[in-house]
């Protein structure tokens, strides 16, 4: 029971994230740390109680199965219920053990280790939040200058210009997808789709259509196209990369408990280019990001003040 209680539940994770963000604020920091300690204690008690209840249900189902074993039909139902209860208990127990192993073996990286194309992708994931007409026409990183491609010339115009941006350097192109803007109802609807079915269909179709046209029209200009995005934009980038077999760097992408299933369904032999998920350790939105086939997950320390989910955490 003690081991099971060591896995952070959503309440403990949220209170821990708040405590981390406010740790340097006088008085408030002490208060949020106290709330986090209380949440941790409450979670321990809750998990212990849940384990007792689970075992009790399994035992009760077993007793009922034994008592009705010789009764036609009812006996089969009783055995099925008992087997189902044991299966659920096993999944929960083994799931806790897997999470404990993951947490124990999690190596936290420094954001300073982000370099090259990966760091350029973080820049693009930030720039795409600006309205299309207000975006910088270039940015420089490590002596390399990436220039914005203007829609309507060599490349197609996306359905919504504010949702997508493109920056290029020599034979490389980075396509960035915008994350959630609270005032945009389309973004909120897309976030709800992630919760319900892993990927937001309409936004992924929009991204895929743009990328297909871009690849077709620029295939003689660029030999390497990388997709990127933060939060909602990161989730869109991952789904599009799966569909088109492109490299991807996603930052704190939105993910829920069905993330692994969604990625397995969308993955195919044609989508084996490397997809890298970069997430801050205490970010709740990306906590369920699943590592499957060609998806690598890198977890970074929350080293800057502010909200762990922000794209600013990845920028120097």
């Amino acid at each position: 029971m003690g081991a099971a209680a060591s896995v952070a539940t959503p309440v403990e994770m949220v209170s821990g994230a708040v405590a981390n963000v406010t740790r340097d604020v006088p008085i408030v920091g002490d208060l949020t740390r106290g709330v986090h300690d209380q949440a941790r204690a409450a979670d321990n008690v809750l998990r212990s109680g849940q384990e007792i209840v689970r075992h009790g249900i399994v035992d009760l189902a077993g007793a009922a199965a034994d008592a009705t074993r010789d009764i036609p039909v009812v006996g089969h139902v009783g055995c099925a219920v008992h087997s189902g209860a044991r299966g659920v208990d096993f999944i929960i127990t083994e799931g806790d053990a897997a999470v404990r192993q993951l947490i124990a073996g999690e190596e936290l990286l420094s954001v300073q280790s982000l370099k090259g194309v990966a760091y350029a992708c973080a820049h693009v994931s930030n720039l795409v939040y600006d309205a299309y007409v207000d975006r910088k026409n270039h940015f420089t990183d490590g002596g390399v200058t990436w220039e914005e491609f203007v829609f309507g010339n060599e490349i197609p115009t996306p359905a919504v210009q504010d949702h997508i941006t493109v920056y290029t350097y020599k034979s490389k192109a980075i396509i960035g997808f915008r994350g959630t803007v609270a005032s945009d109802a389309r973004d909120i609807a897309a976030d709800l789709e992630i919760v319900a079915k892993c990927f937001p269909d309409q936004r992924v179709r929009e991204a895929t259509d743009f990328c297909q046209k871009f690849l077709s029209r620029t295939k003689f200009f660029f030999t390497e196209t990388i997709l990127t995005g933060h939060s909602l934009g990161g989730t869109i980038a991952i789904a599009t990369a799966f569909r088109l077999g492109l490299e991807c760097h996603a930052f704190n992408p939105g993910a829920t408990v069905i993330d692994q299933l969604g990625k397995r369904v969308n993955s195919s032999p044609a989508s084996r280019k490397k997809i890298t998920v970069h997430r801050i350790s205490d970010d709740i939105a990306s906590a369920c990001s699943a590592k499957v086939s060609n998806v690598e997950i890198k977890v970074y320390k929350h080293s800057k003040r502010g909200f762990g989910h922000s794209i600013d955490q990845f920028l120097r």
Side-chain angles (χ1 to χ4, degrees):
M1 281 187 278
S6 66
V7 183
T9 61
V11 174
E12 184 182 342
M13 291 175 68
V14 171
S15 63
V18 173
N20 190 49
V21 170
T22 60
R23 62 180 180 270
D24 297 324
V25 181
I27 302 177
V28 175
D30 293 333
L31 178 61
T32 54
R33 279 195 299 274
V35 170
H36 178 47
D37 290 340
Q38 292 298 318
R40 181 182 298 166
D43 281 343
N44 287 343
V45 173
L46 178 61
R47 283 184 172 276
S48 298
Q50 287 175 335
E51 187 167 342
I52 293 172
V53 170
R54 286 204 319 269
H55 291 173
I57 291 174
V58 172
D59 292 342
L60 182 61
D66 288 339
T68 59
R69 190 177 305 276
D70 298 327
I71 301 176
V73 181
V74 177
H76 291 294
V77 173
C79 289
V81 170
H82 183 218
S83 297
R86 290 178 61 188
V88 169
D89 183 59
F90 176 80
I91 291 171
I92 293 174
T93 302
E94 292 303 307
D96 275 354
V99 173
R100 285 199 302 277
Q101 184 177 10
L102 175 63
I103 292 174
E106 188 178 77
E107 179 185 0
L108 299 184
L109 305 173
S110 168
V111 172
Q112 301 298 320
S113 64
L114 265 179
K115 297 178 181 178
V117 170
Y119 189 62
C121 284
H123 265 295
V124 173
S125 294
N126 181 48
L127 290 172
V128 72
Y129 277 103
D130 294 331
Y132 174 63
V133 296
D134 297 327
R135 283 182 197 142
K136 293 181 179 179
N137 58 14
H138 72 279
F139 70 90
T140 301
D141 170 50
V144 174
T145 298
W146 293 79
E147 296 184 350
E148 182 189 24
F149 246 35
V150 179
F151 296 138
N153 292 334
E154 294 91 344
I155 62 174
T157 300
V160 181
Q161 293 182 342
D162 288 351
H163 286 177
I164 298 175
T165 192
V166 180
Y167 285 83
T168 66
Y169 171 71
K170 293 186 176 179
S171 62
K172 292 184 175 68
I174 298 176
I175 301 176
F177 305 103
R178 195 188 74 183
T180 301
V181 172
S183 59
D184 192 330
R186 292 167 298 190
D187 289 354
I188 304 304
D191 286 334
L192 293 176
E193 279 193 87
I194 293 175
V195 174
K197 51 187 178 182
C198 192
F199 295 125
D201 291 342
Q202 178 58 38
R203 292 290 290 273
V204 173
R205 281 195 296 270
E206 173 189 315
T208 303
D209 179 65
F210 173 82
C211 288
Q212 287 175 324
K213 291 177 181 177
F214 176 85
L215 292 169
S216 174
R217 296 185 190 182
T218 64
K219 58 186 176 183
F220 298 112
F221 296 101
F222 305 111
T223 59
E224 188 176 352
T225 300
I226 306 105
L227 307 185
T228 192
H230 163 257
S231 191
L232 166 63
T235 305
I236 293 169
I238 291 171
T240 307
F242 271 132
R243 291 188 176 192
L244 301 180
L246 296 173
E247 182 181 348
C248 174
H249 288 275
F251 300 87
N252 283 344
T256 65
V257 292
I258 60 172
D259 189 63
Q260 185 173 67
L261 175 62
K263 285 176 179 172
R264 291 192 183 281
V265 168
N266 283 273
S267 180
S268 70
S271 61
R272 289 297 184 245
K273 285 286 185 72
K274 187 175 181 181
I275 295 174
T276 306
V277 171
H278 306 270
R279 58 175 305 270
I280 300 299
S281 58
D282 60 358
D283 175 48
I284 303 302
S286 62
C288 291
S289 295
K291 179 180 179 181
V292 300
S293 58
N294 57 320
V295 178
E296 178 185 11
I297 298 179
K298 295 185 176 182
V299 186
Y300 300 84
K301 300 173 185 176
H302 185 161
S303 55
K304 294 176 67 175
R305 298 181 67 173
F307 191 33
H309 185 62
S310 172
I311 185 62
D312 289 340
Q313 293 293 333
F314 298 96
L315 302 176
R316 296 190 282 274

